[in-house]
Amino acid sequence: MVLFAACVGLVAFAPVGQTSNQQPAAVASPAEKTVEQTKKNIKVLSGLPDSQLIPVMNFMSASLGVRCIYCHVNTEEKWDFVSDEKPEKNKAREMIKMVLAINKDTFRGNTEVSCYTCHHGRTSPSNVPALPIPEVTPRPAAAETKPGETKPAVPTADQILAKYTEALGGSAAIDKLKTRSMKGDWVTSSGLTWGYEVYQSGPDKIHVVLNTPKQGVFERGFNGSVGWEKSIHGLRALEGQELAVLRRYPDLFKDIKLKEQFSRLTFGGKDKIGDREVYVLRGMTTDNRRERLYFDTQTGLLVRRVTSSPTMIGLIPEQIDFEDYRNVDGLMVPFTLRISSVDPNISSTRKFTEIKLNVPIDETKFNKPPAPSTP
Ligand code: HEC
Ligand code: HEC
């Protein structure tokens, strides 16, 4: 139960109350406010959980290949997101209404059409095929099985997961896992390198230190109930989206104990990542996100995890690549994580130089520090 709670806590975006004929309607957690309650000038996104607003804005930006400034006003380095001054913002409202209507009327409420469906990273979608059209190559005939020959057996999801547990070091080593401390670099999507430290005590206590040359040290923590941030700007509570992002990664068991996070998990074929052959598992998490898991067919290790979080205007994707696995006290641990997101602030590469498992961590590290006394 504790583990399940931790996994739910990792969700960046609570699923929207969108109905679909394939999945039960998910409801935003009752505690969460919607954007028309928290923001000033919402005309079409009513009902969107507050924690999804920025992900949705990033999704629209990525779909059109633009930045916030394309629709929002920024004067003297200050954003005015409330303003309707830019015509593009109102155009986007019309487009949001259109997308909601298409999906409701034509796709039975499933979010099949999103901004990306037409825009493909451009502001003006093309409505004619590009000429010259590429030569159409005939599909290779499916390799026929000759009589007497059997098709190669495909593994089941359970077999792939069992092989993964073994590849990591076995369930005994996994069950022993209590704490993890990691040190290394956080390389941003624009190429800056920050010092990065993570302390975790399982499953859901976390303390992260980010050492930036320009803005000083950022510390963020969660002790199982209270989230906080300490920086040169002071000490504050972390709530909503920010708390969700902190807790989403890295949870101690999130990429280790996979099975219990899914309500459905099936074999999805073979694929290739670089020159490695991988098995793909497709799943639906207990909190209604679609995921794909990619396992190296040789080593059995998890090499990629792609999550799609449903929102009212589309599925927001996020990808994590796990690289440079090394043995730490009997458990295989990836020393490099590449995180790709529609949010440039989340996209980053985390390269660890030191990872320690099961060393005692001072539990007070996770608590919100006392407020600095005012002089
Ligand atoms: C393609 C246009 C577009 C882009 C790009 C865009 N937005 Fe928006 N944004 C909108 C629209 C439209 C609304 C109003 C939605 C409504 O009326 O329901 C909005 C509303 C907002 C609001 C709420 C303002 C309020 O208080 O009413 C915030 C905050 C916001 N956007 C932030 C961002 C950020 C941050 C980015 C860049 C990551 C961004 N937006 C990119 C179109 C855009
Ligand atoms: C069914 C296809 C389709 C979908 C889906 C779609 N758009 Fe568009 N969009 C277009 C077309 C076509 C144009 C250009 C036509 C025009 O300028 O009026 C356009 C133009 C725009 C423009 C104005 C661009 C400019 O430079 O004038 C904005 C902003 C925009 N779309 C935002 C969005 C957003 C945000 C979404 C998702 C909520 C979205 N669109 C979904 C087809 C689509």
Side-chain angles (χ1 to χ4, degrees):
M1 200 53 221
V2 177
L3 184 67
F4 176 75
C7 301
V8 172
L10 300 170
V11 188
F13 335 116
V16 191
Q18 189 90 344
T19 41
S20 128
N21 60 340
Q22 287 158 356
Q23 320 141 20
V27 230
S29 67
E32 175 147 32
K33 290 195 170 152
T34 51
V35 284
E36 71 280 12
Q37 295 174 304
T38 56
K39 296 293 177 288
K40 295 212 178 81
N41 186 11
I42 298 299
K43 295 186 176 143
V44 294
L45 290 174
S46 309
L48 185 77
D50 184 57
S51 63
Q52 292 183 0
L53 180 72
I54 299 304
V56 158
M57 291 297 145
N58 277 303
F59 177 84
M60 298 199 303
S61 306
S63 298
L64 272 69
V66 299
R67 293 294 182 100
C68 318
I69 191 84
Y70 183 72
C71 296
H72 293 291
V73 181
N74 183 312
T75 26
E76 287 162 12
E77 309 252 312
K78 268 205 76 173
W79 286 103
D80 183 357
F81 291 115
V82 180
S83 163
D84 284 346
E85 197 180 308
K86 293 212 169 163
E88 287 80 3
K89 185 179 178 190
N90 269 322
K91 186 83 185 176
R93 282 200 175 104
E94 279 174 42
M95 294 276 158
I96 294 169
K97 276 199 282 187
M98 174 188 70
V99 165
L100 295 176
I102 295 177
N103 287 325
K104 179 166 169 280
D105 299 339
T106 310
F107 297 104
R108 293 172 298 197
N110 295 319
T111 46
E112 297 293 346
V113 172
S114 78
C115 317
Y116 192 77
T117 310
C118 297
H119 281 271
H120 277 271
R122 299 161 30 174
T123 51
S124 11
S126 172
N127 59 355
V128 292
L131 293 178
I133 55 166
E135 200 176 318
V136 181
T137 41
R139 266 170 175 260
E144 278 179 36
T145 345
K146 296 191 187 88
E149 228 178 42
T150 44
K151 281 192 182 169
V154 295
T156 63
D158 278 346
Q159 285 167 340
I160 291 171
L161 291 181
K163 188 174 172 195
Y164 176 50
T165 300
E166 281 317 303
L168 283 174
S171 37
I174 292 171
D175 290 341
K176 242 178 48 194
L177 185 59
K178 295 285 181 298
T179 70
R180 178 165 65 185
S181 63
M182 314 196 272
K183 286 187 185 153
D185 289 336
W186 170 308
V187 185
T188 69
S189 53
S190 49
L192 303 173
T193 300
W194 297 332
Y196 183 44
E197 289 168 38
V198 183
Y199 302 91
Q200 294 167 275
S201 178
D204 58 358
K205 292 180 192 164
I206 183 160
H207 178 201
V208 176
V209 185
L210 203 54
N211 207 328
T212 76
K214 281 200 183 142
Q215 299 181 66
V217 178
F218 281 84
E219 279 181 76
R220 288 183 161 195
F222 181 72
N223 67 358
S225 56
V226 179
W228 53 272
E229 178 187 88
K230 193 178 158 191
S231 70
I232 50 167
H233 310 294
L235 181 68
R236 64 188 184 98
L238 284 184
E239 276 156 4
Q241 161 73 0
E242 289 182 316
L243 182 57
V245 166
L246 170 69
R247 298 189 59 198
R248 187 177 31 164
Y249 171 77
D251 175 273
L252 197 50
F253 292 107
K254 187 187 173 209
D255 302 310
I256 295 177
K257 294 188 177 182
L258 294 167
K259 195 172 175 170
E260 43 270 77
Q261 299 170 37
F262 293 90
S263 55
R264 183 156 51 77
L265 202 56
T266 53
F267 182 65
K270 266 190 188 177
D271 203 345
K272 274 196 147 185
I273 294 180
D275 50 12
R276 311 291 300 183
E277 203 165 62
V278 289
Y279 289 130
V280 185
L281 292 187
R282 292 167 198 275
M284 181 65 77
T285 60
T286 48
D287 55 346
N288 225 3
R289 287 169 307 146
R290 292 180 206 179
E291 286 210 11
R292 275 187 210 182
L293 304 170
Y294 299 78
F295 298 86
D296 190 309
T297 57
Q298 296 300 312
T299 64
L301 291 167
L302 179 69
V303 290
R304 177 173 288 175
R305 185 168 188 171
V306 180
T307 305
S308 301
S309 302
T311 71
M312 60 201 266
I313 66 151
L315 290 172
I316 301 188
E318 187 168 297
Q319 175 174 308
I320 306 185
D321 286 301
F322 304 88
E323 295 165 15
D324 191 13
Y325 273 94
R326 296 184 214 165
N327 189 322
V328 182
D329 293 332
L331 210 57
M332 293 300 279
V333 187
F335 274 62
T336 298
L337 302 177
R338 275 176 219 284
I339 300 172
S340 315
S341 160
V342 292
D343 184 341
N345 294 321
I346 292 179
S347 294
S348 54
T349 301
R350 301 171 197 189
K351 283 189 184 178
F352 298 104
T353 45
E354 181 191 291
I355 298 184
K356 288 183 184 162
L357 303 181
N358 300 324
V359 291
I361 297 178
D362 177 7
E363 289 280 316
T364 57
K365 243 183 184 342
F366 308 110
N367 296 335
K368 191 173 170 182
S373 54
T374 34

